[in-house]
Amino acid sequence: MDEVQVNKAHRSAKSGPSAERKKQKKMAKAGATPADLKGRNPKAFAIGKVNAFNVKFRRAADLKNKKLHIPVADKTPDIPPPIVIGVVGPPKVGKTSLVKALVKQYSKQNITESRGPITCISGKKQRVTIFECPNDISAMIDIAKVADIVLLMIDASFGFEMETFEFLNILQTHGFPKIIGVLTHLDKFKDSKALRKVKKDLKHRFWEEIYQGATLFNLNGLIHGSYPRNEILNLSRFIAVAKPKPLQWRMGHPYVLVDRLEDITDPGILSSDPLIDRTVCLYGYVRGTSFKSSTKIHIPGSGDYNMASITQLTDPCPKPSKSAEKKRVDAKEKLLYAPMSDVNDITYDADAIYINIPDNKVNFSQVEGGPAPTQGPGETMVRTLQQTKFPISEKLKEGKNQFSVFGSSVHAEEEEEDDDDEDDDESIMSGR
């Protein structure tokens, strides 16, 4: 049997004098030089770190994608209005406690009741308006329209609830603002291993609903009825560096988050017809574009109305004075403007304003069981007016010939006699 001989294939030299001569011949035919071939070895310039290259590639793609968007004109005024922070979450998750802690951090003042917008000075160049969203679908829709930053609170012991998913769906309709997640009730976990697992699961679930890498903050628990100071300080720093995303619809339309309202309808007309149309004054910061007096306004849940007038007022919570030497805000400049909450002993109701005066600050009101203070002429006049039960006209109609005015007695009969004498003198003058 004849076997077929198989010879090894010829391998050309990769190095050496003959390989070098062949290489130079090829370069001469192509018209290239050794400098042109430098750096063309693919194996020498392969990817060393895959993860770092992935991050670099994604960043370059993001920058390229941003150039495709139309640039948005910045229409923010020189003195921008406060940033609106909406505190949203299901019931019993700790919204009120968080609002009180943030107000305490910013203004160094305590509030016992969180009602309506609360404006604070948060830094040398920034003001914030904190608003607690009630557990109502209409309130969620309203806060989604105006909020620049949303603090989405999640009960870690229970997980995500239906109110959270409903609010996220509403945000997708009205524009998605900056969202910071806040985990509460972490002190209910006694096992550290279970706590780490819950944090990891909630973080990934939160990233799926918002975006990868969304900020999720942890509040471990309450100490003496309030959150720890260090955790609230860190959260306030998160809020300070957060940059609200400009939404096109808001920048093209004027809108106002009402801080307070007053019913200025004539009380006499209301007593005769309680169902008459009311005249209401609304106070708040104008956001978006500028308002015109002829612009029709829409009040959510009420309807469209015409504005009678619009007036520019002084800022109730102005920004701190600019000074290059100051590194932080003074205590006197940490103002707090919360007209609907019980701040500074002033409370606004639906139809009245109540001023609470402590007993040690009472100067002219009579205190029962207290010693009689020394009275000057001015204090005597004020206290006499306080003791008057009936007006002077009623006393005259009842036939009382003596009444007290500013601490001195006046006889009505003597005044009538003086008037008669003056009338006689006038008649004599006219007869001449």
Side-chain angles (χ1 to χ4, degrees):
M1 185 174 177
D2 297 335
E3 294 182 358
V4 179
Q5 183 178 357
V6 179
N7 299 323
K8 185 183 293 186
H10 175 70
R11 291 186 298 176
S12 59
K14 302 295 183 181
S15 62
S18 60
E20 195 69 30
R21 285 193 298 268
K22 290 181 181 179
K23 185 176 180 181
Q24 290 178 359
K25 287 181 181 179
K26 289 182 180 180
M27 291 173 55
K29 288 181 180 180
T33 60
D36 297 335
L37 298 178
K38 187 177 181 180
R40 292 188 182 181
N41 188 359
K43 293 184 179 180
F45 297 94
I47 300 173
K49 297 181 180 179
V50 179
N51 293 333
F53 178 78
N54 187 17
V55 173
K56 185 178 180 180
F57 177 78
R58 288 178 179 274
R59 177 169 174 79
D62 292 341
L63 294 176
K64 184 178 179 180
N65 191 27
K66 284 182 180 180
K67 294 179 181 179
L68 301 177
H69 293 282
I70 301 174
V72 180
D74 188 7
K75 298 181 180 180
T76 307
D78 297 335
I79 303 178
I83 298 174
V84 180
I85 300 176
V87 182
V88 185
K92 305 296 181 180
V93 77
K95 298 189 295 294
T96 305
S97 301
L98 180 60
V99 171
K100 293 180 180 179
L102 287 175
V103 172
K104 176 69 174 179
Q105 173 65 30
Y106 288 136
S107 64
K108 308 302 179 185
Q109 297 186 35
N110 295 319
I111 58 172
T112 58
E113 185 179 6
S114 172
R115 292 182 56 192
I118 302 174
T119 304
C120 309
I121 303 292
S122 60
K124 294 177 63 176
K125 300 180 180 179
Q126 192 182 51
R127 296 173 295 176
V128 295
T129 296
I130 306 172
F131 189 85
E132 179 184 349
C133 180
N135 188 31
D136 182 62
I137 190 67
S138 299
M140 291 181 181
I141 294 174
D142 294 339
I143 200 65
K145 295 176 181 177
V146 300
D148 299 317
I149 299 175
V150 174
L151 298 181
L152 190 61
M153 303 195 67
I154 303 166
D155 188 351
S157 63
F158 189 85
F160 286 87
E161 301 184 36
M162 282 302 300
E163 289 84 356
T164 305
F165 295 112
E166 289 290 341
F167 183 71
L168 292 177
N169 292 332
I170 293 171
L171 288 181
Q172 292 178 356
T173 306
H174 296 285
F176 222 83
K178 180 71 175 179
I179 295 182
I180 299 177
V182 180
L183 290 180
T184 59
H185 296 158
L186 295 175
D187 54 340
K188 293 185 178 181
F189 294 92
K190 305 303 180 183
D191 187 10
S192 60
K193 186 176 181 180
L195 178 60
R196 287 195 301 269
K197 185 177 184 304
V198 168
K199 285 183 179 181
K200 184 178 180 180
D201 295 342
L202 291 177
K203 181 182 69 173
H204 289 293
R205 187 71 176 93
F206 184 72
W207 286 2
E208 290 181 2
E209 294 294 332
I210 312 300
Y211 61 87
Q212 291 292 324
T215 305
L216 186 62
F217 198 81
N218 300 324
L219 294 179
N220 292 321
L222 297 175
I223 299 178
H224 303 295
S226 62
Y227 292 109
R229 183 178 178 183
N230 292 335
E231 295 182 355
I232 297 299
L233 177 60
N234 294 335
L235 179 59
S236 64
R237 289 174 178 172
F238 270 90
I239 296 172
V241 299
K243 295 181 179 179
K245 182 173 62 174
L247 300 178
Q248 192 68 25
W249 191 92
R250 295 186 190 177
M251 296 180 65
H253 297 77
Y255 62 98
V256 175
L257 176 61
V258 177
D259 294 329
R260 65 184 180 95
L261 57 91
E262 291 183 8
D263 188 359
I264 59 174
T265 311
D266 188 2
I269 301 177
L270 287 178
S271 60
S272 60
D273 187 7
L275 300 179
I276 196 173
D277 293 340
R278 304 292 184 93
T279 303
V280 181
C281 280
L282 304 177
Y283 300 85
Y285 291 94
V286 178
R287 295 173 170 88
T289 58
S290 59
F291 256 120
K292 296 181 180 179
S293 58
S294 59
T295 306
K296 294 190 68 174
I297 62 173
H298 174 76
I299 300 177
S302 180
D304 298 335
Y305 298 92
N306 294 319
M307 282 194 302
S309 63
I310 182 170
T311 307
Q312 182 179 0
L313 303 177
T314 57
D315 195 342
C317 188
K319 294 178 65 175
S321 59
K322 295 183 179 180
S323 178
E325 299 177 355
K326 291 183 179 180
K327 293 185 178 181
R328 59 181 60 187
V329 183
D330 296 338
K332 295 181 179 179
E333 294 179 338
K334 292 182 178 180
L335 302 179
L336 176 63
Y337 177 62
M340 293 187 183
S341 302
D342 54 346
V343 179
N344 297 331
D345 299 324
I346 299 178
T347 305
Y348 289 84
D349 201 348
D351 54 354
I353 301 175
Y354 301 96
I355 301 176
N356 181 25
I357 303 177
D359 294 338
N360 58 348
K361 300 293 184 180
V362 176
N363 295 325
F364 295 106
S365 300
Q366 293 184 358
V367 181
E368 296 182 0
T374 57
Q375 299 182 2
E379 295 181 2
T380 303
M381 179 180 65
V382 174
R383 294 185 185 278
T384 305
L385 291 175
Q386 290 178 349
Q387 296 174 357
T388 304
K389 297 182 180 180
F390 303 98
I392 299 175
S393 58
E394 293 186 4
K395 289 184 179 181
L396 292 176
K397 289 180 181 179
E398 293 176 0
K400 296 180 180 180
N401 59 353
Q402 183 177 358
F403 52 90
S404 176
V405 177
F406 301 153
S408 59
S409 299
V410 178
H411 294 275
E413 295 179 355
E414 295 178 359
E415 290 186 352
E416 293 178 356
E417 292 177 359
D418 295 340
D419 293 339
D420 295 339
D421 296 339
E422 292 179 358
D423 294 338
D424 295 339
D425 294 338
E426 291 179 357
S427 61
I428 293 173
M429 293 292 293
S430 61
R432 292 180 182 177

